[in-house]
Amino acid sequence: MSINATDSDPKGDQSKNENQRKIGNANDHDSPYSEESTQQQTEHGNAALELINSVTGADEEGRSRQRILTYAAKRYASALKRDPEDCDALYNWALVLQESADNVSPDSTSPSKESLLEEACKKYEEATHLCPTLNDAYYNWAIAISDRAKIRGRTKEAEELWKEATKNYEKAVQINWNSPQALNNWGLALQELSAIVPAREKESIVRTAINKFRAAIQLQFDFHRATYNLGTVLYGLAEDMSRIGGAANAKEVSPDELYSQSAIYIAAAHALKPNYLVYTSALKLVRSMLPLPYLKDGYLTAPPAGNPLASHTDWKRSRFVLNHEGLLQIIEIEQRYMSRSLSSNSEDTMSPSRQAIKVDIPDIVSVSACTDLTLPPGACLSIDTIHGPLYLIADSWELFDWWLDAIRLVYTIYAKGKSDVLAGIIT
């Protein structure tokens, strides 16, 4: 049984970024281009034009699109003859080459998809040399490298290309950290790399991929692709752990917990995008791994209901469940009351009344980590509601991350008007 990750996010358009261009050209040093390097650039430009001119397109729509791309390439070539340091022209020309590669017929050998992508990579490299802050160039350069890696399958050459792609995604995120698409693609590149590297290197790369997908959905919680991809990478990690016999030590989460959390992300992705067949198919495989009729079931340390600032000694570890409606504390009935005769009406046989914590999803204002030193130590989750704050302690920081994501995702699904889809999954 396998679940495939979704593709990288699409390339950006050919629009110019004024801020990046101004920052990139604010250089006091001499031009890096000598007369010789300008001549080399002209030769490369001619070679790139020949490649683009030889692309025909697989159908009428592709041929029409290719004519537009060819015209654009000639414009950028002319712009670079006038100004070899025009980083916008280099960047847009690289985009043209990259889109032309998508137009190449699968059975074409001249030009090949690889040759167009390689030429695009050269243009991106030149553009970033001139304009080191052009994050879109690093982002699309990484996509082009990834496409080249895919052509090579699971080879050593592909491994090196995936590593190069991750470095460019990293650079793009360093320049613009507020980019969930770049983080998602970075995670995908790491996921692909993990399938090629030696086993001893794999887990570290997989853990890093998990962090990238989580960072993406932290920035954009309705980002269904990153949500789904996070589910797939956790599923793969669970498969690997199952093969080696479970967790290496008691502090690690078990494969069953990983499978369950994987199913949560895949279910959430399906709820956010119910018509996407990839998510529908994956959900059929993992739905049984959910703690039905709940989305999530686990333990949190909580204060007495109605008293979020109770003494530390009054906080108790208890079971909590999450569904499309809210988060509910499950109060376990003490065994001695369970053993009493159920036929008796005597008051002393009734279980004690204990109020349970309940948080309705529509009442949530925010969910975040909390570092208040007045609270018990540990991975503290703060749920701010219209009725006031609620603080809960997870058993570990990894489990904290999962509770945080699950509650935020359920709220996002509610805010998007898709709670009925989620309800249909778990009930």
Side-chain angles (χ1 to χ4, degrees):
M1 172 175 162
S2 63
I3 301 174
N4 295 322
T6 56
D7 293 335
S8 303
D9 286 293
K11 299 176 281 293
D13 59 28
Q14 297 179 33
S15 59
K16 297 178 181 178
N17 187 313
E18 294 295 332
N19 291 332
Q20 290 170 336
R21 186 170 67 255
K22 289 177 182 176
I23 294 172
N25 287 340
N27 297 321
D28 295 326
H29 55 72
D30 293 334
S31 167
Y33 284 97
S34 63
E35 184 177 340
E36 181 181 357
S37 62
T38 302
Q39 177 63 29
Q40 290 175 344
Q41 189 186 59
T42 301
E43 292 173 0
H44 289 158
N46 292 336
L49 281 175
E50 287 180 12
L51 283 171
I52 291 175
N53 283 329
S54 58
V55 179
T56 57
D59 51 30
E60 184 53 42
E61 183 180 350
R63 287 188 285 273
S64 176
R65 176 61 180 160
Q66 193 56 42
R67 285 193 290 270
I68 296 171
L69 292 171
T70 301
Y71 174 74
K74 291 176 180 177
R75 286 181 53 206
Y76 300 137
S78 297
L80 283 166
K81 284 182 179 179
R82 293 190 299 270
D83 180 8
E85 297 185 38
D86 187 343
C87 63
D88 285 325
L90 280 165
Y91 168 67
N92 286 320
W93 196 352
L95 281 175
V96 166
L97 285 157
Q98 200 167 358
E99 291 202 32
S100 295
D102 293 337
N103 251 357
V104 172
S105 175
D107 56 355
S108 173
T109 56
S110 181
S112 67
K113 186 182 182 77
E114 162 64 20
S115 58
L116 286 157
L117 290 170
E118 188 174 5
E119 196 63 41
C121 289
K122 291 176 182 177
K123 295 287 184 285
Y124 284 130
E125 185 173 15
E126 292 176 41
T128 55
H129 183 74
L130 287 168
C131 185
T133 56
L134 194 59
N135 70 292
D136 285 345
Y138 285 107
Y139 174 78
N140 286 312
W141 184 6
I143 292 177
I145 296 169
S146 299
D147 287 342
R148 292 175 62 198
K150 290 173 186 176
I151 294 171
R152 287 164 173 78
R154 296 187 175 183
T155 62
K156 185 65 179 178
E157 191 176 8
E159 178 184 337
E160 296 305 315
L161 286 169
W162 283 119
K163 287 179 179 178
E164 189 179 345
T166 61
K167 290 177 182 177
N168 281 311
Y169 283 129
E170 181 178 13
K171 188 67 176 179
V173 171
Q174 286 174 345
I175 297 170
N176 177 24
W177 63 267
N178 190 26
S179 176
Q181 293 82 9
L183 285 162
N184 176 62
N185 286 9
W186 189 357
L188 283 170
L190 287 163
Q191 200 170 359
E192 293 284 354
L193 178 61
S194 71
I196 303 175
V197 298
R200 64 182 180 278
E201 300 175 28
K202 183 173 183 177
E203 185 174 349
S204 174
I205 295 173
V206 167
R207 296 284 183 183
T208 307
I210 289 171
N211 292 338
K212 302 313 168 191
F213 291 134
R214 283 204 72 251
I217 63 174
Q218 289 285 326
L219 288 175
Q220 184 184 332
F221 256 83
D222 63 348
F223 192 2
H224 57 88
R225 278 194 295 270
T227 304
Y228 176 80
N229 290 334
L230 182 49
T232 67
V233 75
L234 284 170
Y235 184 92
L237 182 59
E239 293 275 88
D240 289 342
M241 289 181 66
S242 295
R243 279 192 290 270
I244 63 174
N249 58 69
K251 292 184 178 180
E252 286 188 4
V253 296
S254 67
D256 286 346
E257 289 175 303
L258 288 169
Y259 280 127
S260 180
Q261 190 62 32
S262 165
I264 290 173
Y265 289 115
I266 291 170
H270 173 80
L272 289 168
K273 195 78 171 178
N275 296 326
Y276 201 9
L277 293 179
V278 173
Y279 303 164
T280 304
S281 298
L283 181 61
K284 290 178 182 178
L285 295 175
V286 302
R287 182 176 179 271
S288 62
M289 299 172 183
L290 293 170
L292 302 174
Y294 307 111
L295 182 70
K296 186 168 180 60
D297 187 338
Y299 284 83
L300 293 164
T301 300
N307 187 9
L309 299 179
S311 169
H312 292 190
T313 57
D314 294 331
W315 288 56
K316 304 296 180 184
R317 185 174 180 270
S318 60
R319 182 182 168 211
F320 279 80
V321 294
L322 176 70
N323 64 10
H324 61 289
E325 295 179 329
L327 179 70
L328 177 66
Q329 183 183 29
I330 302 296
I331 301 298
E332 306 289 352
I333 301 175
E334 295 181 23
Q335 185 63 38
R336 64 191 181 92
Y337 290 101
M338 291 291 291
S339 63
R340 299 278 180 93
S341 172
L342 296 178
S343 62
S344 173
N345 292 323
S346 173
E347 289 186 4
D348 65 359
T349 64
M350 300 296 290
S351 62
S353 175
R354 292 180 61 191
Q355 185 181 1
I357 294 171
K358 183 181 180 184
V359 179
D360 293 324
I361 294 300
D363 294 345
I364 294 176
V365 177
S366 65
V367 187
S368 61
C370 181
T371 56
D372 192 328
L373 297 178
T374 65
L375 299 173
C380 184
L381 182 71
S382 172
I383 306 176
D384 191 17
T385 75
I386 58 175
H387 306 295
L390 170 66
Y391 304 105
L392 302 166
I393 309 293
D395 289 349
S396 69
W397 282 107
E398 186 167 16
L399 295 174
F400 162 87
D401 287 338
W402 292 357
W403 277 109
L404 181 72
D405 285 356
I407 297 169
R408 283 181 169 177
L409 283 166
V410 172
Y411 181 84
T412 302
I413 291 165
Y414 157 76
K416 291 288 182 180
K418 301 289 182 64
S419 291
D420 58 332
V421 181
L422 182 58
I425 293 171
I426 61 178
T427 60

